[in-house]
Amino acid sequence: MNAGVASFSVIDWIGAIKQILTDPVNGVTAPNYYHQHSGEISIDGLGWVWQCNLFSHYVLYRSIQHLLLASPTCLGSRVVWSSSIEASPEFFNPEDWQNKNTEHSYESTKYQIDLISTRLDQLALQRPASRRIRHFITHPGVCSTNVADALIGPVLNFCKVLVFYLVRFLGSSNHTIDPFKAAIAAVHISLAPLAFVTLFNKNDGTTPRPAKFGAETNRWGHERVGVIDVKKWTENQAESEVLLNKLDALYQSLRNAEEIASLKIETASEHM
């Protein structure tokens, strides 16, 4: 399940200069000076960023669920969700679950991915191995892409990449920069045997650990896979179940509406 969109509107240049001068690593890892559009609605009447980043991927998963279940048990069917290092519970609002009103829709939808993927994997581990679809979270680190092209030109983009290399050399493991290196976590989780990517809490050794796998590099750019915990999982575990139920209810309602529309078309064709 690949990443989606970030609806950037403008850069707060004063805030950018301040954060980069006072906290340069976070300033180019989880910047707080990007402003995002709020209130964007898709043609389906859903939160636009939310539909692009989360719900469309959930629909895809549910649509091929029967195929995943038919996968040979020895291979282990799995869904790899693409989160972000910027996924943050700070902007998660259960009341605004489609992120229609927030000015941080990107960070919020990515955190929702962390929540539902963790919960889906917990549920999967309660089922027999032959009826199990595993769910994993990955993130690409900080990769240089064209996602912010609407805000910066080629000169600033070049400067951005130079700063990425500088903070990586100074010790930031999150700056993968190259998309090829940024893909290592997703590729690893897709191909590695399940026995080697199933993590458990250190306390009891049996409870699944709410974690996500991230692409990292050393200062010389040699890529590797790292692991970080899902932020504030304990506090938001109950909300993950509520959110998953809302997703499923919306998916079922759209499926039912589609079937009714299809039936009406078939009936009309028969009377022509």
Side-chain angles (χ1 to χ4, degrees):
M1 303 295 185
N2 198 10
V5 298
S7 186
F8 295 129
S9 59
V10 68
I11 294 177
D12 174 9
W13 289 108
I14 295 177
I17 294 171
K18 180 180 179 180
Q19 188 181 18
I20 290 175
L21 290 179
T22 59
D23 191 5
V25 175
N26 275 332
V28 291
T29 304
N32 58 22
Y33 46 81
Y34 283 114
H35 290 196
Q36 300 173 47
H37 293 287
S38 176
E40 293 181 310
I41 306 298
S42 72
I43 193 173
D44 301 305
L46 308 175
W48 182 66
V49 174
W50 179 82
Q51 182 174 357
C52 292
N53 288 0
L54 174 62
F55 186 60
S56 58
H57 301 166
Y58 180 78
V59 170
L60 175 59
Y61 153 62
R62 288 299 309 275
S63 298
I64 63 171
Q65 189 174 13
H66 63 289
L67 298 177
L68 293 170
L69 287 171
S71 174
T73 306
C74 59
L75 297 178
S77 61
R78 65 195 81 180
V79 177
V80 181
W81 296 82
S82 182
S83 180
S84 169
I85 198 169
E86 294 186 69
S88 175
E90 178 184 354
F91 307 111
F92 171 59
N93 179 5
E95 300 300 320
D96 183 28
W97 58 284
Q98 290 190 23
N99 293 278
K100 293 180 178 179
N101 302 315
T102 179
E103 294 182 354
H104 296 275
S105 54
Y106 180 79
E107 297 94 327
S108 178
T109 54
K110 290 299 180 178
Y111 184 66
Q112 286 183 328
I113 285 175
D114 292 356
L115 292 181
I116 67 164
S117 176
T118 301
R119 182 56 184 154
L120 284 168
D121 197 54
Q122 287 183 342
L123 295 173
L125 289 171
Q126 297 172 13
R127 300 186 179 102
S130 60
R131 301 289 297 172
R132 185 179 294 170
I133 302 172
R134 298 296 308 278
H135 293 260
F136 296 96
I137 315 166
T138 66
H139 73 80
V142 181
C143 177
S144 180
T145 67
N146 62 358
V147 69
D149 278 3
L151 300 180
I152 60 176
V155 175
L156 284 177
N157 187 68
F158 178 75
C159 295
K160 175 197 73 175
V161 175
L162 286 181
V163 175
F164 282 179
Y165 277 105
L166 175 61
V167 296
R168 185 169 80 183
F169 184 76
L170 293 176
S172 172
S173 61
N174 293 311
H175 286 75
T176 51
I177 305 174
D178 182 358
F180 184 85
K181 299 178 187 297
I184 186 172
V187 172
H188 174 71
I189 294 301
S190 298
L191 300 178
L194 289 175
F196 294 104
V197 293
T198 300
L199 304 179
F200 296 95
N201 283 325
K202 297 179 181 178
N203 296 334
D204 56 20
T206 58
T207 306
R209 177 184 171 187
K212 56 184 179 181
F213 297 79
E216 297 180 354
T217 65
N218 64 12
R219 68 181 61 210
W220 308 114
H222 299 141
E223 64 269 25
R224 64 185 184 232
V225 178
V227 181
I228 59 176
D229 290 321
V230 172
K231 298 175 182 177
K232 293 191 176 182
W233 165 252
T234 303
E235 295 90 326
N236 292 304
Q237 183 173 359
E239 291 297 339
S240 71
E241 183 71 26
V242 173
L243 178 60
L244 193 57
N245 289 338
K246 289 179 178 179
L247 287 170
D248 192 62
L250 180 58
Y251 169 76
Q252 292 294 350
S253 67
L254 293 176
R255 280 292 304 270
N256 293 339
E258 183 181 42
E259 291 174 359
I260 292 173
S262 177
L263 182 61
K264 288 182 177 178
I265 292 174
E266 291 177 1
T267 304
S269 300
E270 291 175 358
H271 292 286
M272 290 181 64

